[in-house]
C-alpha cells in the first residue's frame, strides 16, 4: 500500500521546482502499459501543459493542494468552459470526457491526483490543439 501523505506531497512539490518542465509525476501504476494510470502530478506556475485531448480516454483530476484553471475547448480552439479549481474554494476537481480538448494552467503550486485509462500515449499522437492566446 502507498500512502498519500504530507511528506510525499512536499517531496514531490520540491522535485517539481527543480525540473525544467516545472512539474513532476509520482506514478502509482507499475508500467506505462497498465490499463489504469493513477498518479500525483506536482505543478509549479509557469509549467506548460498544452491544450490536448485523449480520443479514447476519460481523464479525472482532483486537486489535493493549490489552484489550477481547467479549460475545455471546441475543435476551433474556442473556450467552452473554464473553472478555477481549488480545494480551499470548495471546487475539488474535474472529469474530462474522452475526445474533449482541455488544458490546465497552474495558478499556484499544486498537487493533482489524476486517473485515466492506459496505456500511455504521447500527446503528439493523441493530439495537441494550437491555441492562439491574445
Amino acid at each position: 500500500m502507498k500512502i498519500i501523505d504530507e511528506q510525499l506531497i512536499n517531496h514531490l512539490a520540491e522535485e517539481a521546482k527543480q525540473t525544467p518542465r516545472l512539474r513532476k509525476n509520482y506514478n502509482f501504476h507499475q508500467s506505462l502499459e497498465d490499463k489504469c494510470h493513477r498518479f500525483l502530478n506536482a505543478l509549479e506556475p509557469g509549467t506548460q501543459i498544452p491544450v490536448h485531448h485523449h480520443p479514447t480516454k476519460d481523464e479525472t483530476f482532483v486537486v489535493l493542494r493549490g489552484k489550477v484553471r481547467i479549460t475545455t475547448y471546441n475543435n476551433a480552439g474556442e473556450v467552452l468552459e473554464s473553472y478555477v479549481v481549488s480545494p480551499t474554494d470548495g471546487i475539488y476537481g474535474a472529469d474530462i470526457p474522452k475526445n474533449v480538448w482541455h488544458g490546465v494552467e497552474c495558478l499556484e503550486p499544486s498537487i493533482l491526483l489524476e486517473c485515466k485509462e492506459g496505456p500511455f500515449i504521447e500527446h503528439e499522437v493523441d493530439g495537441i490543439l494550437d491555441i492562439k492566446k491574445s
Side-chain angles (χ1 to χ4, degrees):
M1 176 168 49
K2 295 181 182 177
I3 301 297
I4 301 169
D5 60 11
E6 200 73 16
Q7 182 179 354
L8 174 60
I9 287 175
N10 288 340
H11 179 73
L12 190 60
E14 284 303 314
E15 284 187 343
K17 291 177 188 174
Q18 306 306 316
T19 68
R21 291 177 359 139
L22 296 174
R23 69 178 191 242
K24 179 76 175 177
N25 286 2
Y26 179 90
N27 295 340
F28 296 107
H29 52 279
Q30 299 300 307
S31 162
L32 294 179
E33 298 301 316
D34 283 359
K35 291 183 178 184
C36 181
H37 287 199
R38 301 140 1 259
F39 57 98
L40 297 176
N41 195 351
L43 309 173
E44 287 292 312
T47 190
Q48 299 295 316
I49 301 176
V51 175
H52 64 285
H53 71 157
H54 307 285
T56 62
K57 302 175 184 185
D58 298 332
E59 185 170 14
T60 301
F61 302 91
V62 176
V63 179
L64 301 177
R65 175 193 291 174
K67 186 180 288 191
V68 300
R69 179 183 310 281
I70 300 176
T71 305
T72 61
Y73 301 85
N74 64 18
N75 289 338
E78 300 164 330
V79 172
L80 295 175
E81 296 178 285
S82 186
Y83 291 95
V84 173
V85 179
S86 170
T88 59
D89 296 332
I91 302 175
Y92 301 99
D95 185 65
I96 310 292
K98 65 184 171 188
N99 210 32
V100 171
W101 293 103
H102 61 283
V104 178
E105 177 186 3
C106 180
L107 302 175
E108 63 184 46
S110 300
I111 305 288
L112 282 60
L113 174 64
E114 297 187 33
C115 296
K116 61 186 163 198
E117 180 184 346
F120 175 75
I121 299 172
E122 291 282 349
H123 289 311
E124 289 77 21
V125 176
D126 254 2
I128 295 176
L129 188 60
D130 187 21
I131 300 291
K132 306 294 185 217
K133 298 207 179 195
S134 48

